[in-house]
Amino acid sequence: MKTSYLYYILLSITIFFGGCGKFLDTTPYSNTVVDNFYKTASDAELALTGCYNTVVAAVAQGEWGRASFNSGMQTLLDGGTDETIMRDGLADPLFGAIPTAAFTEQHELLKFSWSFLFKGINRVNYLLDHIDGVDMTEARKEEIKGEARFLRGFFYYYAGILYGGAPVYTTSVQDPMAPRNSLQEVFMQVLDDLQYAYDVLPHRATIPGRANKWSAAGFLVKSYNYLASSKMNDVGKNLNFELNSFDWVNSTDLYTKSKVVSQDIIDNSAYKLTQHYDYLFRETTESAQYEECLFTGESTSAQVSSNDYGAWLFYLIPVGATNITGGGYGYYRPTAEMYYNLYDANDPRRAHNLGGMLVDRENAVEFIDGVKYFMPLPATPEDENYCITKFRYKDPSIKNINVALSEGNYPILRFADILLLNAEAAYFTGDEAAARSRLTEVRRRIARENIGNTAPQVSYLDSRYRRSNFVTELLEERSRELCFEAQRRTDLIRFGRMESAIAGLSDGKGENKSRWNVIVPIMQENWDKAPYKIWFPIPINDVLLNHNLVQNPGYQSR
């Protein structure tokens, strides 16, 4: 990281030193410094950078944990689904228990996750509390408010889908003993913040990768669909936990709103499906990402954007020697079902997303815009080297940072997701034909019509992937397109299919052999005993520090 020591100290002093529970009862080191800091436009921009930093930071205010989109958020939202299972024998204390559903309220990653989310919220609130007193143009001031409120909505969106109800704070003056607000109150804040940002932000931010009008619109759509589908499928109803209830949701109304806003994005945002699917996941193909991604986790040392790098090596990149081929650790592996059942053998996404290890051979390299990448071996699920190959590091010999980290941006919200969310909204508002046309649109990018004779025609893919149950087809297409992008756990839960998806996995010993599905029976046993794990627990340390924080059902509260 190229951020200077002085900058780190300044940021630590001037941004609220907070979280929740023990993190919310602290104040800045010097109120005089804070008062003196929020004076100039540069001060405000620096504070906003601190807010964005939490999206991808490995460390926040001195606390390590990688609980952001550095790597932890992907772990929480991908690990232990019908896409992603744990490598047999993994004992890593941070990442090991999540994919087998063996986590408890004492799990370290959950402690860091809760803390990181509220640190982001606190940074935003401090900025919003002081921005009106800053000497800068009113136009930029209003944009900063819009970006900050987008980020607060963003952080609360993830708090809501991970934990349910949470304390809702809209100012920097906070009660460290505040109870959890209901899920309804959390999402009312999410929707209010995102709507504000949608209304005031420009079509593109001055700094690439920052939030704009369409970033806010996209997360509005995600929120609408999450709430509507969760209500329709009685998510959590059997837990009788009023705090996390969806009874207040009007699914028809929210799907109608989703269709309108997602159509606005499709018609007017100028985002599109970038031509090369694989360019979305390379360390050096930023220009392709910006064509399609409405919001990214920026991995850069540039202080105007962020100040951290991503850590894809834990499981998102192919297994291999990090120093030689740019390979990763393979903590998590793809299920056998992804290879055998989800993809047609000729779908180019299968060959890109699922593969073998990286090898140091001259005939196993490719050049993307002149940059060298090692290529993984073909996928063989029965082999030990079967792994996730969606994201790729460049040749480590030409990297200017630690070879374990990524200079590439992580795609958090893509135009392909918007098309699929629009399909969902269209279907549930009575237009199945329009819904299916959106699925075709997503598939066309990787079909013969776009990439030539090596790929199947889109009509073949439509026929091959068609299901009589549209929701089943939709969820399968979301997995084919968006796998390993922190989507699957939420998708399965909101459609009431998490437990059945886990129950439907094989142990890898039958006809469709797979080395890594051996872990599946442990996942199945843990879910069979604990269906309440659709919500993660509030970290036990925070519950002990604040006796007003009611624990989610099934977990230890004291």
Side-chain angles (χ1 to χ4, degrees):
M1 188 184 303
K2 299 176 183 176
T3 308
S4 69
Y5 182 74
L6 178 61
Y7 169 74
Y8 178 79
I9 293 296
L10 178 62
L11 191 60
S12 297
I13 292 173
T14 57
I15 303 299
F16 185 69
F17 194 65
C20 194
K22 65 180 179 181
F23 304 104
L24 284 172
D25 59 356
T26 55
T27 57
Y29 292 126
S30 167
N31 287 324
T32 301
V33 170
V34 171
D35 290 341
N36 289 338
F37 177 71
Y38 288 98
K39 297 298 184 184
T40 69
S42 296
D43 295 342
E45 298 292 355
L46 182 59
L48 183 60
T49 296
C51 298
Y52 276 105
N53 169 253
T54 318
V55 174
V56 76
V59 178
Q61 282 131 246
E63 181 184 48
W64 180 86
R66 300 193 183 279
S68 67
F69 277 97
N70 177 279
S71 54
M73 193 68 80
Q74 296 95 316
T75 297
L76 294 173
L77 292 170
D78 278 336
T81 65
D82 56 357
E83 288 181 355
T84 312
I85 53 180
M86 189 177 81
R87 185 186 74 200
D88 184 27
L90 177 67
D92 182 87
L94 201 61
F95 298 115
I98 300 298
T100 58
F103 54 83
T104 69
E105 61 285 334
Q106 298 179 12
H107 192 70
E108 285 279 278
L109 185 58
L110 299 174
K111 179 188 77 172
F112 295 138
S113 166
W114 183 262
S115 169
F116 267 55
L117 288 168
F118 280 96
K119 284 173 179 174
I121 291 164
N122 275 341
R123 291 181 177 191
V124 168
N125 285 339
Y126 248 82
L127 175 56
L128 288 172
D129 279 357
H130 290 83
I131 188 65
D132 283 332
V134 175
D135 182 15
M136 63 190 310
T137 68
E138 288 302 314
R140 180 55 186 151
K141 189 179 294 185
E142 189 66 10
E143 283 184 7
I144 288 179
K145 289 180 182 179
E147 290 183 68
R149 290 193 62 174
F150 165 81
L151 287 169
R152 187 169 64 190
F154 174 88
F155 292 129
Y156 268 122
Y157 168 83
Y158 284 105
I161 65 174
L162 291 170
Y163 302 100
V168 174
Y169 300 107
T170 58
T171 75
S172 58
V173 179
Q174 300 163 348
D175 178 4
M177 300 303 290
R180 295 169 68 185
N181 291 81
S182 68
L183 182 74
Q184 178 179 3
E185 292 168 307
V186 169
F187 270 94
M188 287 298 99
Q189 187 61 50
V190 170
L191 297 178
D192 186 56
D193 280 336
L194 294 176
Q195 184 66 53
Y196 181 92
Y198 180 32
D199 291 339
V200 306
L201 288 178
H203 288 246
R204 292 293 186 275
T206 304
I207 300 171
R210 289 281 181 92
N212 58 45
K213 175 184 183 70
W214 307 111
S215 314
F219 270 94
L220 266 178
V221 171
K222 289 185 76 67
S223 299
Y224 290 148
N225 285 30
Y226 171 75
L227 295 171
S229 56
S230 295
K231 170 63 179 298
M232 289 178 63
N233 294 289
D234 291 329
V235 171
K237 193 84 169 178
N238 61 324
L239 300 177
N240 295 315
F241 188 58
E242 186 63 27
L243 195 72
N244 288 352
S245 171
F246 293 94
D247 287 347
W248 55 278
V249 173
N250 183 325
S251 295
T252 300
D253 177 60
L254 292 186
Y255 270 133
T256 300
K257 290 179 178 178
S258 172
K259 186 176 180 180
V260 171
V261 177
S262 58
Q263 194 63 49
D264 189 20
I265 298 170
I266 293 166
D267 292 341
N268 299 309
S269 72
Y271 285 102
K272 64 179 183 177
L273 297 177
T274 195
Q275 182 177 5
H276 300 288
Y277 176 76
D278 59 317
Y279 283 21
L280 290 163
F281 317 108
R282 306 284 177 146
E283 194 173 4
T284 59
T285 51
E286 186 178 83
S287 60
Q289 287 186 329
Y290 288 150
E291 285 186 330
E292 179 165 341
C293 295
L294 286 72
F295 191 61
T296 55
E298 297 284 298
S299 292
T300 175
S301 63
Q303 294 180 10
V304 294
S305 296
S306 182
N307 61 352
D308 219 332
Y309 296 108
W312 299 352
L313 82 165
F314 292 109
Y315 72 92
L316 291 174
I317 59 176
V319 172
T322 306
N323 293 324
I324 299 172
T325 61
Y329 301 165
Y331 280 6
Y332 300 169
R333 303 300 178 106
T335 62
E337 286 72 14
M338 288 201 75
Y339 182 85
Y340 292 118
N341 301 336
L342 183 65
Y343 289 103
D344 180 85
N346 297 307
D347 187 330
R349 292 172 297 186
R350 188 178 83 163
H352 181 266
N353 297 337
L354 311 173
M357 70 181 299
L358 295 172
V359 293
D360 183 13
R361 299 188 316 201
E362 281 304 313
N363 64 345
V365 299
E366 61 180 338
F367 290 85
I368 307 295
D369 295 334
V371 179
K372 182 180 177 181
Y373 286 85
F374 287 90
M375 298 171 62
L377 295 171
T380 50
E382 69 276 12
D383 189 83
E384 186 171 324
N385 294 318
Y386 177 55
C387 60
I388 294 167
T389 57
K390 190 169 195 176
F391 292 78
R392 310 283 175 87
Y393 281 3
K394 64 184 178 181
D395 180 353
S397 69
I398 58 175
K399 293 183 77 157
N400 296 315
I401 62 170
N402 188 314
V403 295
L405 301 178
S406 169
E407 293 174 275
N409 301 331
Y410 183 81
I412 295 176
L413 179 60
R414 295 202 276 121
F415 188 69
D417 192 6
I418 298 301
L419 293 174
L420 294 170
L421 292 167
N422 178 264
E424 179 184 334
Y427 178 78
F428 284 110
T429 53
D431 194 346
E432 183 173 347
R436 291 191 178 278
S437 73
R438 291 301 183 202
L439 302 188
T440 300
E441 192 172 346
V442 171
R443 293 165 184 157
R444 185 172 289 112
R445 170 172 44 196
I446 49 83
R448 182 175 302 178
E449 288 84 345
N450 182 52
I451 63 177
N453 291 335
T454 58
Q457 291 181 326
V458 71
S459 59
Y460 168 82
L461 292 174
D462 282 344
S463 175
R464 173 71 172 80
Y465 291 148
R466 188 178 179 90
R467 299 288 181 267
S468 58
N469 184 308
F470 178 80
V471 171
T472 297
E473 183 175 343
L474 174 70
L475 289 176
E476 288 179 351
E477 193 59 37
R478 287 185 63 81
S479 185
R480 280 187 285 267
E481 176 69 23
L482 303 170
C483 59
F484 319 129
E485 295 181 49
Q487 305 280 352
R488 191 58 174 172
R489 175 183 165 91
T490 306
D491 279 346
L492 290 175
I493 288 173
R494 69 190 181 93
F495 279 101
R497 299 192 179 198
M498 187 68 182
E499 293 171 70
S500 62
I502 299 301
L505 296 174
S506 73
D507 62 5
K509 298 177 182 178
E511 180 181 355
N512 294 334
K513 294 186 183 299
S514 175
R515 166 67 178 88
W516 300 112
N517 273 46
V518 65
I519 205 76
V520 164
I522 297 175
M523 295 170 58
Q524 292 170 334
E525 181 180 6
N526 286 337
W527 273 104
D528 183 59
K529 293 179 178 179
Y532 57 84
K533 289 190 174 181
I534 59 171
W535 304 110
F536 286 114
I538 308 301
I540 191 63
N541 286 358
D542 290 87
V543 173
L544 292 174
L545 285 164
N546 178 2
H547 65 268
N548 293 317
L549 286 179
V550 177
Q551 183 60 276
N552 282 330
Y555 301 104
Q556 180 181 339
S557 60
R558 294 288 184 270

